[in-house]
Amino acid sequence: MKTVMNRRDAIRRVALLMGGAVSMPAILGVLGGCSAEPGADAGAEWKPAFLTPEQAALVAEVAEIMIPRTDTPGARDVGIAAFIDTMLKDAYPEDGQRRFVAGLADFEAHALREHGRAFLALEPGQRTAMVKQAHDPAVEAERQSTLPLDERQRPFILTMKELTMLGYFTSEPGATQVLQYRPVPGAYHACVPLRQAGNGKTWATETSRPF
């Protein structure tokens, strides 16, 4: 039987990882059926509907830095760029779309200012360092903010993180291979040792933290 991912559970997981909040457009998009599909943005046959091909390539690389392939699939493997493209097109209002695109452009401009090259032309270590440099101060600022989420105008890097994690954990590989996952419906197991109950995987209960 095909496992079914509970989208509301995925939203709760991502909210915990983001420090307790997920934006309304992201919630509505996921509950409306948007999901990442493995291989969706792989190969020359996929064309973004909202982003330009260059923007989509940048989004795919930043997402892969956030969730890299290890012994489990990475962001690129589950089609995160295609998921984000669909979410922006179908779930985000115009001002949210503009903020994301403007933030993406600023991120690329920062690479040009700091290194004299486009982000995708940088060495892998430089790309990772750039994402960390943008991410960690944004996380700290969000932790200290007392404004409601819809008044914060979450910066590009955190919107990118939110969408990456939502796409990842609503995909079948992300839901079933990375975090501990309880299929719906699932089998009943009586009392078992904790080490067996988790299969060595962790629940998504940690709050947002620096890289």
Side-chain angles (χ1 to χ4, degrees):
M1 185 192 319
K2 183 178 179 180
T3 54
V4 178
M5 181 60 196
N6 184 317
R7 292 176 182 272
R8 287 179 173 80
D9 184 51
I11 291 169
R12 285 193 292 269
R13 291 179 177 184
V14 172
L16 287 168
L17 289 165
M18 292 295 296
V22 176
S23 66
M24 188 55 64
I27 291 173
L28 294 177
V30 169
L31 294 181
C34 291
S35 61
E37 299 179 9
D41 54 7
E45 69 277 2
W46 179 72
K47 294 182 180 180
F50 175 78
L51 299 168
T52 67
E54 293 77 17
Q55 289 169 336
L58 180 53
V59 162
E61 180 60 22
V62 173
E64 184 68 17
I65 289 169
M66 290 178 167
I67 306 182
R69 180 192 297 175
T70 53
D71 56 341
T72 54
R76 200 184 301 272
D77 295 313
V78 305
I80 290 298
F83 169 80
I84 291 176
D85 183 69
T86 300
M87 287 283 284
L88 289 169
K89 175 178 176 290
D90 295 342
Y92 273 68
E94 288 187 10
D95 63 329
Q97 293 172 340
R98 285 194 297 269
R99 282 202 305 271
F100 186 91
V101 171
L104 191 63
D106 288 344
F107 186 79
E108 178 73 301
H110 182 72
L112 291 169
R113 287 194 305 270
E114 292 292 312
H115 303 285
R117 289 184 291 168
F119 180 78
L120 294 178
L122 300 178
E123 297 297 323
Q126 292 176 311
R127 294 198 295 268
T128 300
M130 254 200 73
V131 172
K132 177 179 172 61
Q133 184 182 27
H135 172 271
D136 291 359
V139 167
E140 187 58 32
E142 179 131 314
R143 281 176 174 166
Q144 296 179 10
S145 176
T146 58
L147 292 173
L149 179 60
D150 59 357
E151 296 179 19
R152 293 182 202 170
Q153 294 196 347
R154 180 172 270 169
F156 159 75
I157 197 68
L158 294 188
T159 300
M160 180 74 208
K161 179 181 180 180
E162 176 182 76
L163 289 172
T164 296
M165 291 194 300
L166 277 172
Y168 195 77
F169 294 125
T170 53
S171 73
E172 188 168 348
T176 62
Q177 296 181 41
V178 178
L179 294 177
Q180 186 181 160
Y181 172 62
R182 183 177 294 122
V184 181
Y188 171 75
H189 299 283
C191 295
V192 295
L194 183 60
R195 65 180 181 276
Q196 293 180 21
N199 292 321
K201 300 176 183 178
T202 60
W203 292 101
T205 57
E206 297 178 356
T207 58
S208 184
R209 60 181 182 180
F211 275 48

